[in-house]
């Protein structure tokens, strides 16, 4: 089946009692065990609603197995703590979601786990690998600057050094990018974003080969970050339209990126689908679409980007991303507020940088709102 068909059909467990088309919401947290092939329990990641989702996401990511978590950070932290012990070392891309960056800097020292942050350049990633490196962690396109990291090269470096390659595929989604096809070992998602897609749920996912997923499962059952049946159902419902939503997100983001690039009031635009983006060629190689996320800088007149944000009428300044509605945020005061001023400066996350999560509205309406807000802000 092709991706749009998989979105609709893969994993569905039709209602055996009523012959209804949808997977019922199985609310039980207690399951009979005599003569059962396995013990079923929500924290074991194996209830029918959890398995439905795993089957659908495995189909979409070309994975053998996976787990559904209660948040993206539950997924990411569980993967890291499954494979890392005291004395181990991790190489991480610098420009990643601020929460992941903060997880590493706030928690790893007390476990005796060493880490090196590097740019997204293949040579730098390779140079940072040490004898005790166990994980190479990347995010592409990255949050918030939409940097593109070469997935195939990263997987190759990890294999050559007996390390695991892990990627956060949240921005791309399985519709635009399938990292396991490029030999990446483990794919993580914040399902709170595009997979959920309607800004009304929080969840995460991990997809991998059976053997690795089994190891992650052993730790995850101890850490306990599983997802409840009702949210599983909401996510299953959302995934049925993932492909059509992403197609529209891709289209809209490109139109808006081109508009911003041609507006003299906007000095910088970051979108991997623009030929001027430094990662354009790599993105073309590894992505089927360029995604719905972009970032741009306001000009010098923008002493206070909040003033621009307050002028917007349709677009909402809000946390998170990946929903059907267009939202905007200043990474310096939201997603990346916990990293230091010096780190932000080094990454190029200026106070004037705004990250736009382009929704599925009509692109002309989104552009009209940006235009009127810029005009009111910068007449
Ligand atoms: C790229 C990326 N990865 C991971 C996360 C963490 O996900 P969650 O908030 O679902 O824990 C986020 C959240 O913003 C994100 O943007």
């Amino acid at each position: 089946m092709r991706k749009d068909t998989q979105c609709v059909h893969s994993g569905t467990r039709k209602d055996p009692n009523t012959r209804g088309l949808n997977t019922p919401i199985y609310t039980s947290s207690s399951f009979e065990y005599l003569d059962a092939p396995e013990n079923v329990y929500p924290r074991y990641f194996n209830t029918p609603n959890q398995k439905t989702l795993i089957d659908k996401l495995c189909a979409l990511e070309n994975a053998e197995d996976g787990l559904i978590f209660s948040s993206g950070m539950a997924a990411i932290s569980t993967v890291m703590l499954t494979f890392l012990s005291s004395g181990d070392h991790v190489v991480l891309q610098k420009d990643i979601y601020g929460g992941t960056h903060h997880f590493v800097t706030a928690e790893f020292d007390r476990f005796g786990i060493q880490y090196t942050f590097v740019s997204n350049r293949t040579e730098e990633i390779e140079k940072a690998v040490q004898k005790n490196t166990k994980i190479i962690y990347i995010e592409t396109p990255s949050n918030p600057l939409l940097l593109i990291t070469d997935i195939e090269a990263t997987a190759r470096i990890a294999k050559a050094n007996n390390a695991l390659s892990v990627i956060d595929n949240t921005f791309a989604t399985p519709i635009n990018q399938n990292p396991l096809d490029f030999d990446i070992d483990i794919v993580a998602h914040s399902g709170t974003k595009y997979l959920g897609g309607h800004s009304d749920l929080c969840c995460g996912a991990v997809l991998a080969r059976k053997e690795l997923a089994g190891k992650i499962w052993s730790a995850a059952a101890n850490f306990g970050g599983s997802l409840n049946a009702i949210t599983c159902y909401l996510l299953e419902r959302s995934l049925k339209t993932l492909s059509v939503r992403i197609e529209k997100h891709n289209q809209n983001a490109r139109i808006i990126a081109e508009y911003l690039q041609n507006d003299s009031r906007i000095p910088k635009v970051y979108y991997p689908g623009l030929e001027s983006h430094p990662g354009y060629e790599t993105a073309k190689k590894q992505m089927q679409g360029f995604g719905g996320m972009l970032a741009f800088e306001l000009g010098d007149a923008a002493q206070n980007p909040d003033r621009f944000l307050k002028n917007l009428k349709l677009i909402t300044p809000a946390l998170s991303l990946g929903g059907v509605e267009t939202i905007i945020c200043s990474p310096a005061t939201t997603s990346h507020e916990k990293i230091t001023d010096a780190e932000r400066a080094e990454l190029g996350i200026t106070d004037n940088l705004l990250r736009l999560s382009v929704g599925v509205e009509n692109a002309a309406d989104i552009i009209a709102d940006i235009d009127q807000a810029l005009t009111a802000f910068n007449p």
Side-chain angles (χ1 to χ4, degrees):
M1 286 192 288
R2 280 127 181 118
K3 296 256 175 260
D4 35 8
T5 314
Q6 288 169 340
C7 282
V8 177
H9 293 287
S10 290
T12 306
R13 284 159 168 73
K14 287 183 189 164
D15 185 346
N17 297 320
T18 64
R19 304 182 68 196
L21 298 192
N22 292 310
T23 308
I25 302 173
Y26 293 94
T27 54
S28 295
S29 57
S30 180
F31 291 79
E32 289 186 18
Y33 71 92
L34 292 179
D35 302 325
E38 63 175 341
N39 289 343
V40 177
Y41 186 59
R43 188 167 44 74
Y44 294 167
F45 300 82
N46 61 356
T47 64
N49 291 107
Q50 292 167 339
K51 284 185 145 180
T52 293
L53 284 173
I54 291 163
D55 290 350
K56 200 185 276 298
L57 287 172
C58 279
L60 289 170
E61 280 288 21
N62 304 327
E64 286 176 4
D65 205 356
L67 294 93
I68 302 299
F69 289 87
S70 54
S71 71
M73 283 314 300
I76 292 165
S77 58
T78 299
V79 167
M80 298 271 207
L81 296 177
T82 298
F83 296 104
L84 297 172
S85 303
S86 176
D88 290 341
H89 174 255
V90 198
V91 176
L92 302 111
Q93 186 179 320
K94 268 190 274 201
D95 185 59
I96 51 174
Y97 168 57
T100 309
H101 194 285
H102 187 250
F103 164 61
V104 170
T105 56
E107 307 290 348
F108 277 19
D109 286 345
R110 76 195 162 90
F111 293 114
I113 301 167
Q114 301 156 23
Y115 53 88
T116 308
F117 282 105
V118 293
S119 81
N120 68 325
R121 292 179 47 227
T122 302
E123 312 80 78
E124 268 204 47
I125 294 173
E126 189 156 31
K127 235 171 59 193
V129 175
Q130 305 178 2
K131 277 202 162 46
N132 56 344
T133 301
K134 291 283 157 52
I135 288 181
I136 300 180
Y137 184 96
I138 61 170
E139 186 180 302
T140 179
S142 69
N143 185 354
L145 289 168
L146 288 307
L147 297 180
I148 300 296
T149 308
D150 190 323
I151 297 176
E152 199 171 16
T154 305
R156 205 172 44 239
I157 295 166
K159 290 252 162 356
N161 291 281
N162 287 323
L164 290 172
S165 50
V166 181
I167 184 171
D168 183 333
N169 204 30
T170 300
F171 270 34
T173 83
I175 303 300
N176 282 333
Q177 183 167 277
N178 293 124
L180 297 174
D181 292 356
F182 293 97
D183 245 3
I184 285 284
D185 293 306
I186 299 166
V187 174
H189 283 280
S190 167
T192 316
K193 318 301 176 196
Y194 289 102
L195 303 187
H198 297 73
S199 310
D200 60 359
L201 60 83
C202 183
C203 67
V206 166
L207 290 312
R209 292 192 303 280
K210 211 162 199 56
E211 167 236 340
L212 290 176
K215 287 185 178 162
I216 298 166
W217 180 86
S218 300
N222 289 328
F223 297 149
S226 60
L227 192 65
N228 67 79
I230 293 172
T231 314
C232 281
Y233 177 72
L234 276 177
L235 179 59
E236 184 193 350
R237 193 178 197 274
S238 292
L239 287 173
K240 292 185 186 186
T241 57
L242 181 68
S243 162
V244 280
R245 283 188 282 113
I246 294 302
E247 206 175 304
K248 179 78 171 170
H249 284 296
N250 289 345
Q251 272 171 18
N252 274 358
R254 175 190 280 280
I255 295 169
I256 292 161
E258 281 169 3
Y259 156 77
L260 291 169
Q261 193 178 39
N262 292 324
D263 191 312
S264 58
R265 295 169 293 186
I266 302 296
K268 256 191 187 162
V269 183
Y270 302 85
Y271 183 64
L274 292 176
E275 279 179 39
S276 56
H277 188 285
Y280 175 71
E281 288 303 326
T282 310
K284 241 179 26 181
K285 185 183 79 171
Q286 63 196 27
M287 301 183 81
Q288 281 93 56
F290 298 108
M293 295 301 300
L294 59 86
F296 61 96
E297 274 179 22
L298 290 170
D300 286 345
Q303 294 309 316
N304 178 1
D306 285 359
R307 271 182 43 225
F308 168 77
L309 298 181
K310 283 180 183 159
N311 288 336
L312 292 164
K313 296 193 167 86
L314 174 70
I315 302 168
T316 311
L319 300 182
S320 199
L321 59 99
V324 289
E325 59 288 289
T326 301
I327 62 171
I328 192 163
C329 76
S330 150
T333 57
T334 59
S335 59
H336 290 69
E337 68 164 333
K338 285 205 175 77
I339 68 173
T340 64
D341 291 351
E343 282 167 333
R344 270 200 303 278
E346 196 200 327
L347 288 169
I349 303 174
T350 64
D351 290 346
N352 277 349
L353 181 78
L354 294 174
R355 190 191 73 188
L356 192 69
S357 171
V358 179
V360 299
E361 305 97 333
N362 192 296
D365 290 329
I366 303 169
I367 288 174
D369 195 31
I370 296 173
D371 183 55
Q372 69 76 26
L374 278 173
T375 305
F377 174 65
N378 202 6

